[in-house]
Amino acid sequence: MKVLYIAKSYSQIGLGGTRRIKGIAEYFENHHKCKLHFLTENTEKNKIKNVILINTPKFLRDSNKILSSQQTKTKSVKLLHKGWFYFFPASLSKILFRKFDVIYATSPVFLNLIIALIYKLFHPSCFMIIEYRDLYTMNPSFLRTFSLIISQKLELFILKKTNLIVTTTNGMKNKIQSFLPNLQIEVIPNYITYKDYNNPYFSLGFNKNYFHVGYIGSINTGRDPSEILELLDHSIQNKKIIFHFVGNSTEQELIIKKKFNERSDVIFHGIVSRKESLNFMHNMDALYLIMNPDSHVSDGYGIPGKLFDYIALKNIIISKEYCIQEIEKEIKIEILQKIGSYFIFEAKETCFLENVLAQKIDKYFKDIY
């Protein structure tokens, strides 16, 4: 079975949504009945087998910001993007006359879906899978303009031609089905692969007389770190809490430090590598989750990707009630303890990406094998 994976924007660094892209590519590579071909514009050829590489001029490449898993802040949809002028025609010239059994196109960027559609129109027997890591015209942050209306008609046409849609959240699935209720959609959450966690973890030597709680990553807009202050007035397991911030040393850190008044029970570790951040998670007694209270979880947005890291490395998580109410819309959890206005919980779903793909994707390939 020949699979073409379309991911215009891809990075070997593995930031945000690209960790998922890399994980899915490795899944198809390691699948004993698949031969993967990877269509992209920016990757190291020796990292992925059978790369169909489009050498797009630098000035026509997308910004690396497109690789983030965060919700877009754009308020209007553009009809034309830089990719139309090089990646689109170059891609079609390289794949249109080749035979693939399965096309797997991931979005963003939306151009990946259009390339998949053109291929599907020329090869109707091809099994086309469209994946949404972020919604496009159905994204609630976009204004309803003429460009959005035209783009949405195209997007809905693509989805009608699709054999299977994959979303990373139930909210996205519900949003898409509000437009096209009869589509076949599988939810495969933003879990990470076994390989992500195949690291030798070691002790950081934290004082066991304290209960160590960590927040790993940057504090994004809408996530107020001051909500943690009240937690520091409590104890857990009869131990005083030490709170660790592991992430960007930016202006935000100065603001956070000012809010915490240089408290001795709050430690800032600054920027660390991906491997080091996983080791911090592994060493904490619990991990803290902050969400934007204005998140549109029912529309598919707002569940932080770090939640899945937290679950995989240390499935003991602390958060406020508003977080619990939103998380329960997406994953099964169990409340372990309530401390003041805080809840300690664990997830009941700990599957990795490989497991979920095998459960929810392989069954569609029976006729192709």
Side-chain angles (χ1 to χ4, degrees):
M1 182 173 71
K2 291 178 70 175
V3 179
L4 178 65
Y5 192 173
I6 304 174
K8 178 180 186 290
S9 298
Y10 177 62
S11 168
Q12 286 293 335
I13 299 172
L15 298 174
T18 61
R19 286 215 310 277
R20 180 182 175 91
I21 294 174
K22 190 174 182 180
I24 291 176
E26 288 172 348
Y27 172 78
F28 282 125
E29 276 187 329
N30 297 326
H31 197 296
H32 69 286
K33 293 186 178 179
C34 293
K35 184 175 182 181
L36 175 70
H37 295 257
F38 199 104
L39 178 66
T40 189
E41 73 167 352
N42 48 344
T43 189
E44 298 171 32
K45 260 192 169 182
N46 62 344
K47 297 292 184 179
I48 305 174
K49 301 172 186 176
N50 300 317
V51 174
I52 303 171
L53 186 65
I54 308 297
N55 292 309
T56 308
K58 287 185 178 180
F59 70 93
L60 286 177
R61 289 187 181 180
D62 291 310
S63 164
N64 284 338
K65 291 179 181 178
I66 200 73
L67 301 178
S68 170
S69 61
Q70 298 297 325
Q71 182 181 356
T72 178
K73 301 300 180 185
T74 306
K75 292 303 178 184
S76 61
V77 170
K78 294 180 180 179
L79 287 174
L80 289 178
H81 298 270
K82 289 188 292 185
W84 280 103
F85 301 102
Y86 197 91
F87 188 75
F88 178 70
S91 296
L92 293 181
S93 68
K94 291 193 174 188
I95 69 170
L96 206 54
F97 301 104
R98 300 175 66 174
K99 178 68 171 67
F100 298 100
D101 301 298
V102 176
I103 294 276
Y104 192 108
T106 185
S107 180
V109 295
F110 183 58
L111 187 60
N112 296 337
L113 278 56
I114 298 173
I115 293 169
L117 169 68
I118 301 298
Y119 187 89
K120 175 74 171 177
L121 293 176
F122 275 80
H123 302 272
S125 63
C126 174
F127 192 91
M128 183 167 74
I129 304 174
I130 296 298
E131 175 190 62
Y132 281 98
R133 291 174 288 116
D134 283 321
L135 293 177
Y136 186 51
T137 64
M138 288 170 273
N139 185 328
S141 73
F142 284 130
L143 296 173
R144 188 160 182 80
T145 61
F146 177 76
S147 295
L148 184 139
I149 293 170
I150 298 299
S151 298
Q152 193 165 90
K153 287 183 181 297
L154 173 59
E155 183 172 18
L156 295 180
F157 178 76
I158 293 172
L159 296 184
K160 288 176 183 177
K161 294 291 183 181
T162 302
N163 297 97
L164 175 65
I165 297 169
V166 169
T167 67
T168 57
T169 68
N170 289 303
M172 286 188 194
K173 176 181 178 179
N174 296 337
K175 190 70 175 178
I176 294 170
Q177 287 186 328
S178 70
F179 288 83
L180 297 168
N182 297 321
L183 292 181
Q184 185 66 46
I185 302 177
E186 295 285 354
V187 179
I188 300 179
N190 197 20
Y191 288 107
I192 8 286
T193 65
Y194 288 117
K195 194 172 181 179
D196 262 326
Y197 302 102
N198 190 23
N199 289 318
Y201 298 109
F202 54 90
S203 172
L204 292 175
F206 293 137
N207 188 333
K208 297 300 181 183
N209 292 320
Y210 296 91
F211 191 91
H212 297 270
V213 180
Y215 178 86
I216 319 297
S218 60
I219 301 292
N220 296 320
T221 304
R223 298 177 187 174
D224 185 3
S226 62
E227 73 173 48
I228 296 163
L229 278 173
E230 184 189 334
L231 178 65
L232 298 175
D233 295 330
H234 296 278
S235 61
I236 302 176
Q237 297 177 1
N238 295 318
K239 296 179 180 179
K240 179 177 172 54
I241 295 170
I242 297 288
F243 199 94
H244 301 259
F245 280 102
V246 182
N248 293 338
S249 295
T250 61
E251 251 180 62
Q252 291 177 338
E253 182 174 318
L254 297 175
I255 295 169
I256 293 167
K257 284 182 176 180
K258 187 176 180 180
K259 286 186 177 182
F260 285 92
N261 296 318
E262 302 291 347
R263 295 175 60 137
S264 61
D265 50 1
V266 178
I267 302 173
F268 295 88
H269 297 275
I271 297 173
V272 300
S273 68
R274 166 73 175 161
K275 185 175 179 180
E276 289 174 306
S277 72
L278 295 177
N279 198 59
F280 268 102
M281 294 182 208
H282 180 75
N283 274 268
M284 295 294 154
D285 296 306
L287 294 160
Y288 194 87
L289 188 70
I290 306 174
M291 289 174 56
N292 186 336
D294 297 324
S295 296
H296 299 280
V297 173
S298 59
D299 290 326
Y301 294 97
I303 298 294
K306 66 167 55 60
L307 173 61
F308 300 105
D309 278 334
Y310 281 10
I311 292 169
L313 266 297
K314 178 68 66 174
N315 195 10
I316 304 171
I317 303 166
I318 301 175
S319 64
K320 289 276 198 174
E321 186 174 8
Y322 75 89
C323 287
I324 298 292
Q325 292 171 343
E326 297 301 319
I327 291 168
E328 286 180 322
K329 298 175 183 177
E330 290 292 336
I331 61 175
K332 295 176 183 177
I333 65 173
E334 179 182 347
I335 304 296
L336 303 178
Q337 189 179 354
K338 187 175 187 299
I339 301 173
S341 61
Y342 300 87
F343 291 82
I344 301 178
F345 71 93
E346 66 178 7
K348 306 307 292 181
E349 302 171 86
T350 55
C351 294
F352 288 89
L353 186 60
E354 298 94 332
N355 300 76
V356 190
L357 283 166
Q359 293 166 10
K360 298 194 174 185
I361 293 290
D362 283 6
K363 62 185 179 183
Y364 294 97
F365 297 158
K366 289 178 182 178
D367 296 334
I368 303 175
Y369 287 160

